[in-house]
């Protein structure tokens, strides 16, 4: 029997230390176990193989740290937000700190990811990114790239995936588009430095995850264009 939705919440957590090497699916399982240890009344999916309704909207590349991972879950009973925070914070491992908990409007789809902010220090792997190289990247109309997989190649346009790119005192800051077909920070870094292998050794951190605002009912909100009133 499927429980009625009583509460939907968004949590923001970190992912650091050795846990940055676990996969997205392992992270979902880690969060689920923490929620169960916290005694949250998790609402399950329908069907024979029912699972808790837990969504991490933006998967994180293995090896990348994060200060801002979004987690959404549904509960079949009401729990005060302060209590959710104290219970979950005690149940999560120390390398996955809980930063915030907030209520979401019920009866709506998950918020789609829009952008993600990253930071790294290329000099940690003996690399250097010059201002001219960044300028060349941002002024390019298109930057073709091939993502090599064990059984295939994926053609990408790195330029289309980058919103902002800047170097601040040796810290490379990237603002990337998120979602289907998004580029990876290590791919941008590989083009900037010209060294694919060394770019993979640079520690990268996601510092912010931006989700689209969603109205009640699950539809993303869009600004109305000026024009004729209906």
């Amino acid at each position: 029997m499927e429980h009625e939705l009583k509460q939907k919440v968004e949590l923001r957590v970190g992912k650091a230390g050795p846990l940055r090497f676990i996969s997205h699916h392992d992270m979902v399982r880690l969060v689920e176990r923490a929620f169960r240890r916290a005694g949250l009344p998790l609402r399950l999916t329908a069907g024979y193989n029912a699972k808790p309704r837990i969504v991490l909207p933006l998967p994180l590349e293995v090896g990348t740290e994060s200060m801002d991972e979004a987690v959404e879950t549904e509960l079949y009973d009401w729990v005060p937000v302060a209590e959710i925070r104290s219970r979950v914070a005690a149940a999560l491992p120390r390398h996955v700190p809980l930063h915030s908990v907030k209520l979401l409007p019920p009866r709506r789809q998950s918020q789609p990811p829009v952008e993600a902010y990253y930071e790294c220090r290329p000099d940690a792997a003996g690399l250097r990114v010059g201002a001219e190289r960044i300028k060349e990247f941002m002024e390019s109309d298109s930057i073709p790239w091939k993502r090599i997989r064990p059984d295939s190649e994926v053609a990408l346009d790195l330029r289309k995936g980058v919103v902002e790119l800047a170097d601040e005192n040796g810290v490379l800051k990237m603002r990337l588009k998120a979602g289907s077909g998004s580029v990876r920070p290590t791919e941008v870094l590989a083009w900037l430095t010209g060294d694919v292998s060394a770019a993979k050794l640079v520690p990268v951190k996601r510092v912010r995850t931006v989700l689209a605002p969603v109205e009640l009912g699950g539809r993303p909100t869009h600004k109305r264009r000026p024009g004729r009133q209906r």
Side-chain angles (χ1 to χ4, degrees):
M1 178 179 177
E2 186 177 359
H3 289 98
E4 182 182 353
L5 173 63
K6 291 293 183 67
Q7 190 176 15
K8 189 162 187 175
V9 293
E10 177 192 294
L11 302 89
R12 294 291 176 125
V13 302
K15 182 183 178 185
L19 290 185
R20 71 185 186 275
F21 294 109
I22 68 173
S23 69
H24 176 71
H25 294 296
D26 287 336
M27 183 65 177
V28 174
R29 285 191 286 267
L30 182 152
V31 170
E32 178 187 340
R33 290 168 183 162
F35 287 173
R36 291 189 183 279
R37 286 194 296 271
L40 296 185
L42 299 171
R43 185 167 179 256
L44 304 181
T45 59
Y48 179 76
N49 188 24
K51 297 181 180 180
R53 295 176 182 270
I54 300 172
V55 176
L56 277 70
L58 187 58
L60 188 67
E61 188 176 3
V62 173
T64 301
E65 288 194 20
S66 178
M67 297 172 60
D68 190 31
E69 290 299 282
V71 181
E72 295 182 2
T73 192
E74 297 180 4
L75 308 179
Y76 65 80
D77 201 3
W78 183 267
V79 181
V81 171
E83 188 174 341
I84 293 175
R85 179 160 189 163
S86 62
R87 285 197 207 173
V88 174
L92 287 169
R94 66 185 182 93
H95 292 298
V96 183
L98 177 63
H99 299 311
S100 66
V101 180
K102 74 174 184 180
L103 292 176
L104 295 176
R107 307 242 178 246
R108 63 140 210 216
Q109 298 173 355
S110 296
Q111 302 171 102
V114 176
E115 294 178 347
Y117 293 66
Y118 297 88
E119 292 183 359
C120 66
R121 293 195 66 96
D123 57 5
L127 300 175
R128 181 180 176 277
V129 178
E132 288 300 318
R133 189 66 167 167
I134 292 176
K135 181 180 179 182
E136 180 184 354
F137 185 101
M138 296 304 295
E139 291 182 351
S140 298
D141 294 325
S142 177
I143 299 179
W145 186 264
K146 287 186 178 180
R147 180 180 296 165
I148 308 299
R149 291 178 173 173
D151 57 349
S152 63
E153 292 184 356
V154 179
L156 303 169
D157 186 345
L158 295 184
R159 182 62 191 88
K160 289 184 178 180
V162 178
V163 181
E164 292 179 354
L165 191 61
D167 179 272
E168 295 184 10
N169 299 319
V171 177
L172 184 63
K173 298 188 175 184
M174 309 181 203
R175 180 182 168 198
L176 308 183
K177 293 181 181 178
S180 177
S182 59
V183 303
R184 299 170 179 171
T186 51
E187 293 171 332
V188 177
L189 187 59
W191 187 91
L192 291 172
T193 62
D195 194 328
V196 176
S197 298
K200 295 179 180 179
L201 302 177
V202 177
V204 178
K205 180 183 294 185
R206 183 189 288 170
V207 295
R208 184 184 174 197
T209 299
V210 181
L211 305 181
V214 181
E215 293 177 328
L216 199 64
R219 296 184 178 182
T221 56
H222 298 286
K223 293 182 179 179
R224 293 184 178 180
R225 294 181 179 179
R228 185 179 63 183
Q229 297 291 329
R230 291 186 176 182

